[in-house]
């Protein structure tokens, strides 16, 4: 077995505050919540990130998110929520086992997400061209 804290949570070797479980996914509270009730949704199988995770497992995660998110709105009286996934260390990914964050949000929570930058003249098209030009087999 991987030396992976989330795999240990799946098998119960490490305790967690579970809020939902099915055959393929598990959801539990983040130990260090951005807002209280912050949930992590993981696959029970170990995949290191989004790109390594088969589409069928990604679909299952999204379906689990769709089951939990309304509970945060109703049971916690959240006004909205953010779904997040950090992919790669540069993005802030610390745990190398795929996980989606569901973060309850409130009108008065004073949290700010990232600030937007701006493009110089023509630069936006250059970025669009670079991304479009590169084709990859998925
Ligand atoms: P990342 O930065 O990799 O996207 O997020 C990892 C998240 O896992 C962090 O928000 C962190 O608080 C949470 N986390 C790390 N270790 C544990 C743990 O042992 N139990 C729980 N419940 N959450 C954890
Ligand atoms: Zn794992």
């Amino acid at each position: 077995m991987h030396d992976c804290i989330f795999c240990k949570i799946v098998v119960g070797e490490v305790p967690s505050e579970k809020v939902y479980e099915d055959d393929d996914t598990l959801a539990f509270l983040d130990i260090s919540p951005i807002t209280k009730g912050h949930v992590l949704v993981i696959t029970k199988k170990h995949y290191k990130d989004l790109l390594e995770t088969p589409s069928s497992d990604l679909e299952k995660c999204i379906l689990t998110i769709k089951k939990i998110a309304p509970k945060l709105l109703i049971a916690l009286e959240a006004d909205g929520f953010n779904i997040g996934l950090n992919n790669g260390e540069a993005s802030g990914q610390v745990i190398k086992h795929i996980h989606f964050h569901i973060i309850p949000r409130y009108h008065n929570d004073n949290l700010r997400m990232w600030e937007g930058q701006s493009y110089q003249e023509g630069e936006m098209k250059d970025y669009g061209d670079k991304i479009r030009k590169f084709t990859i087999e998925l």
Side-chain angles (χ1 to χ4, degrees), residues 20 23-24 26 29-30 33-34 37 42 50 60 69 71-72 76 80 83-84 87 89 114:
Y20 175 82
D23 288 346
D24 307 292
L26 174 66
L29 296 186
D30 193 299
I34 293 174
I42 70 172
L50 182 97
K60 285 165 187 161
K71 289 168 173 275
L72 305 183
L76 303 185
I83 305 295
N87 205 92
E89 276 175 22
W114 309 288

Side-chain angles (χ1 to χ4, degrees), residues 5-6 9 14-17 28-34 38 40 84-87 91-97 99-101:
I5 186 92
F6 285 180
I9 284 177
V14 166
S16 68
E17 191 63 36
F28 54 93
L29 296 186
D30 193 299
I31 206 165
S32 176
I34 293 174
H38 175 170
L40 298 175
L85 179 140
N86 297 325
N87 205 92
S91 73
Q93 184 181 7
V94 174
I95 309 285
K96 307 295 185 336
H97 178 135
H99 53 282
F100 288 87
H101 298 259

Side-chain angles (χ1 to χ4, degrees), residues 62-77:
I62 296 294
L63 293 175
T64 296
I65 289 170
K66 221 179 160 191
K67 287 194 175 90
I68 294 166
K71 289 168 173 275
L72 305 183
L73 298 179
I74 297 160
L76 303 185
E77 297 183 53

